Amino acid sequence: MSPFLIPIFALLIPIVAISSKAFNDRLKIKHSILKDEIELERLKQQSFIAETEKLRLEIEQVRSSSSLSKDALLEFKPIQPDLNIEPTPISFKETK
């Protein structure tokens, strides 16, 4: 072996060890981030299911307590605002 290769290998081994440790640390961080994101999505899904169930129960309660028929409730349309009304002019007073 050449005498120049020994110092090169002596320096190369710690460099490889340091870079592989940094790579492993990054992988661990990414793993923990992904685990947290999965947990967050699971909580979002549970919240969505609970809220949907709550709204379904509220709708059933309104339907059962309403005096209107089921068909009348399904045909209900909200009141639309009248957009043909002319706006009233605004006057500004000058102040001294």
Side-chain angles (χ1 to χ4, degrees):
M1 257 174 104
S2 172
F4 295 111
L5 290 178
I6 295 173
I8 291 174
F9 284 128
L11 292 175
L12 188 62
I13 292 172
I15 291 172
V16 170
I18 291 170
S19 64
S20 66
K21 183 178 181 332
F23 181 74
N24 286 338
D25 290 345
R26 275 191 242 123
L27 281 178
K28 287 178 184 177
I29 291 171
K30 285 181 183 180
H31 180 266
S32 68
I33 289 172
L34 283 174
K35 192 188 283 187
D36 291 342
E37 287 178 355
I38 289 170
E39 179 67 18
L40 180 63
E41 287 298 322
R42 188 181 64 77
L43 290 173
K44 281 182 184 178
Q45 185 178 13
Q46 286 178 350
S47 174
F48 175 77
I49 290 170
E51 189 172 337
T52 304
E53 184 66 20
K54 179 182 173 188
L55 288 173
R56 187 187 66 77
L57 291 174
E58 286 179 11
I59 290 171
E60 288 297 321
Q61 185 180 15
V62 168
R63 281 184 183 165
S64 65
S65 66
S66 175
S67 62
L68 296 174
S69 69
K70 191 174 186 179
D71 294 333
L73 285 174
L74 291 174
E75 293 174 3
F76 175 75
K77 294 180 182 170
I79 299 172
Q80 296 293 325
D82 186 12
L83 300 176
N84 296 326
I85 298 174
E86 300 253 344
T88 57
I90 300 174
S91 63
F92 294 100
K93 296 180 182 177
E94 291 186 21
T95 59
K96 292 183 181 181

